[in-house]
Amino acid sequence: TEIYTLSLHDALPILALKLAEKNEIEFVGCPAGLFEMGVEGDKEKNSCTRQHTVNITRPFWLSKFQVTKRQWSVYKKPKLSKYDEAMGGLETPMWEGVSYVEAMKFCDYLTKRLKTKLPPKYVVRLPTEAEWEYALRINDFQDGCRYRDWKPNIKAISVVEGDVRRMAAEKGFDLGNAKHWEFKPIQVGTKEPNAIGLYDMLGNGFELMLDVVDPAKCTIKAFLSDDKKQSTLVYADVETDPLRFYDWGAAIIRGASFNCAEGSAHTKRLSGITAENFGPCVAHCIRLCIGPDLKA
């Protein structure tokens, strides 16, 4: 079909999939193309993907925002804390208790529910690392890039500690002496989007990827980031296959939380596959992908 023959600069339509009355998910299209994933050498301290060429052979769509509690409610009823109510209510990202396994179940649920509205042989799933980074940096391949040098733009595009404190104060919510790693996400879409219209990719919560690490195939080393609170995993020898899928191992998270110093386009960290092997405090955001069924 025509969907598989689009080239890099062809525009893809925005897809809006209705879940319920006044409840839909908007998806932004990403055309197929080649790109250089990762960074050359050791230019960024927390980089853990060496630069290599990735061929995105088929177009895909990513959700404009991280999945909100309103969108999650068609699957399971979310809990709203006083913090959530103050910081955006149902328009805050679904966060607490979302393990990799739970996210995969949610995607399978949406695929079955929306099957007739999806392109042939496409499913709702998590994005691969390659798809996520490609969508984040897609304007690198055109003039006027927003992400080629992301640091000057980080406060414009990322939810950071100052934004959380400011919004809390405006809503009359007292954060007290809370540190940035104790915060939770705020309402989606409060900062600027990237060049193709995706919000909060480098802030407002780490995002789960489809890829997982197979310990038998990767050599990993770990070190602490500057704040000494977050271990960063670096692939020392073998790059994971961006289309590989496992039901065990360790889940990969990309993006950033609430500290602008962590807002790198290349940093990735690891998490548990299930809540059981990572403890009761599993907390990840999800950005959905409408993409080729990689297990078919």
Side-chain angles (χ1 to χ4, degrees):
T1 61
E2 215 173 89
I3 191 166
Y4 300 121
T5 61
L6 296 169
S7 64
L8 177 64
H9 297 291
D10 287 329
L12 291 176
I14 291 178
L15 298 181
L17 299 183
K18 186 175 181 179
L19 304 178
E21 192 65 31
K22 297 182 180 179
N23 191 354
E24 66 177 24
I25 304 178
E26 282 190 293
F27 291 85
V28 175
C30 300
L34 287 168
F35 83 112
E36 292 299 312
M37 184 175 176
V39 291
E40 184 179 355
D42 191 22
K43 292 182 179 178
E44 291 185 22
K45 178 180 176 182
N46 288 352
S47 170
C48 48
T49 305
R50 71 172 184 271
Q51 192 171 69
H52 62 291
T53 302
V54 173
N55 184 12
I56 303 293
T57 58
R58 288 176 284 182
F60 60 95
W61 285 260
L62 288 188
S63 55
K64 182 184 290 188
F65 306 106
Q66 296 159 336
V67 171
T68 65
K69 288 183 168 64
R70 183 183 304 279
Q71 293 160 347
W72 186 268
S73 68
V74 302
Y75 173 63
K76 290 183 178 180
K77 186 176 180 179
K79 295 180 180 179
L80 279 179
S81 65
K82 290 183 179 180
Y83 178 98
D84 293 328
E85 291 172 354
M87 306 298 267
L90 290 174
E91 302 311 317
T92 56
M94 186 59 198
W95 173 265
E96 298 87 351
V98 181
S99 66
Y100 180 88
V101 168
E102 190 69 9
M104 294 291 282
K105 289 179 179 178
F106 177 61
C107 291
D108 288 343
Y109 168 82
L110 290 181
T111 295
K112 293 173 182 176
R113 180 171 178 143
L114 302 170
K115 187 175 182 179
T116 60
K117 300 178 181 178
L118 301 177
K121 299 182 180 180
Y122 274 49
V123 296
V124 179
R125 56 171 170 77
L126 298 174
T128 67
E129 280 197 274
E131 290 167 339
W132 185 91
E133 188 172 320
Y134 177 71
L136 171 71
R137 298 176 50 230
I138 197 166
N139 210 35
D140 280 1
F141 320 118
Q142 305 171 37
D143 294 334
C145 169
R146 183 175 296 235
Y147 286 104
R148 185 169 291 122
D149 185 10
W150 52 268
K151 290 180 181 178
N153 301 295
I154 193 70
K155 290 187 178 180
I157 61 177
S158 298
V159 174
V160 295
E161 181 175 354
D163 302 309
V164 178
R165 290 192 178 279
R166 184 165 48 252
M167 187 170 182
E170 291 172 354
K171 300 291 186 179
F173 190 88
D174 184 11
L175 285 172
N177 295 320
K179 305 298 183 182
H180 70 80
W181 56 84
E182 299 175 277
F183 295 169
K184 299 177 183 179
I186 65 175
Q187 183 171 335
V188 299
T190 58
K191 304 302 285 287
E192 293 181 22
N194 78 345
I196 61 170
L198 296 169
Y199 288 80
D200 300 332
M201 291 196 76
L202 293 182
N204 213 26
F206 294 108
E207 299 182 16
L208 278 166
M209 301 293 103
L210 179 66
D211 323 51
V212 301
V213 171
D214 177 2
K217 297 180 182 295
C218 290
T219 302
I220 309 171
K221 64 179 181 178
F223 62 89
L224 290 173
S225 56
D226 290 339
D227 62 13
K228 307 300 181 186
K229 300 292 183 182
Q230 175 65 61
S231 178
T232 300
L233 283 298
V234 179
Y235 294 83
D237 295 326
V238 183
E239 179 62 33
T240 55
D241 180 345
L243 301 186
R244 186 182 293 142
F245 169 77
Y246 299 98
D247 58 3
W248 62 285
I252 297 171
I253 51 177
R254 297 290 300 266
S257 190
F258 310 105
N259 180 349
C260 62
E262 297 177 356
S264 170
H266 308 292
T267 298
K268 56 186 171 189
R269 294 175 170 84
L270 300 188
S271 176
I273 293 292
T274 65
E276 288 71 29
N277 66 21
F278 195 61
C281 60
V282 170
H284 306 115
C285 294
I286 307 171
R287 189 178 302 272
L288 296 176
C289 175
I290 295 177
D293 185 354
L294 302 181
K295 294 185 289 181

